[in-house]
Amino acid sequence: MQRWIVLTVLTSALTGLAAPAQALGPAPDDDAPVITVTLGDVVIDPKVPSKARVNVSYLCSVADGARSLTVSVEQQDPEDSSSKAFGSSRTPDTDIVCDGTVQQRQLPVQSKTVNWIPGVDAVVIATVSNIGTTPSAAADSRQVKLAVG
């Protein structure tokens, strides 16, 4: 009798842990908006060594709200730990095409401190936001060696 009571209590407790399907949220919609962003190559401008050109491809659905493409680059000088080149660039929302097709952009990123160093690793991050959709943003990041283009 005691085993039956323990088994019944345990079964009832475990049953309460199982969530009904609707409690987990709606099923994914195949027509749901999608945002993706992919970093391409990053090169230092040969004429302006404080400027890097970052190639980005992105895809986003028709935007109902604010949208932007932001790219940032950060590079530590391997010979001087206190010296760091960094900069970012953001496009105005009117320059971002969100029509469900892949778009290609090249953004200049000006270092606000020192020149970019060729052959040295840099961290590059690109983010596309499309505030009127869910998800509202996507990002890609990489560590790359900067080369002179």
Side-chain angles (χ1 to χ4, degrees), residues 41-54 106 108-110 115-118 146-149:
D41 61 340
V42 182
V43 295
I44 299 170
D45 187 318
K47 295 180 182 178
V48 184
S50 63
K51 185 186 294 185
R53 293 187 308 265
V54 180
Q106 185 179 78
V109 177
Q110 183 79 35
N115 289 344
W116 303 113
I117 305 169
L146 297 183
V148 177

Side-chain angles (χ1 to χ4, degrees), residues 37-115:
V37 60
T38 306
L39 283 165
D41 61 340
V42 182
V43 295
I44 299 170
D45 187 318
K47 295 180 182 178
V48 184
S50 63
K51 185 186 294 185
R53 293 187 308 265
V54 180
N55 290 306
V56 178
S57 63
Y58 69 90
L59 176 140
C60 56
S61 63
V62 177
D64 293 333
R67 56 192 180 265
S68 69
L69 171 61
T70 305
V71 175
S72 64
V73 181
E74 183 176 314
Q75 183 186 51
Q76 179 84 31
D77 185 335
E79 296 177 9
D80 181 3
S81 62
S82 66
S83 179
K84 188 176 284 191
F86 66 92
S88 66
S89 181
R90 181 182 177 276
T91 62
D93 63 347
T94 55
D95 288 351
I96 301 300
V97 177
C98 287
D99 63 1
T101 62
V102 176
Q103 304 292 318
Q104 303 286 331
R105 293 293 304 264
Q106 185 179 78
L107 280 82
V109 177
Q110 183 79 35
S111 173
K112 307 296 185 215
T113 54
V114 296
N115 289 344

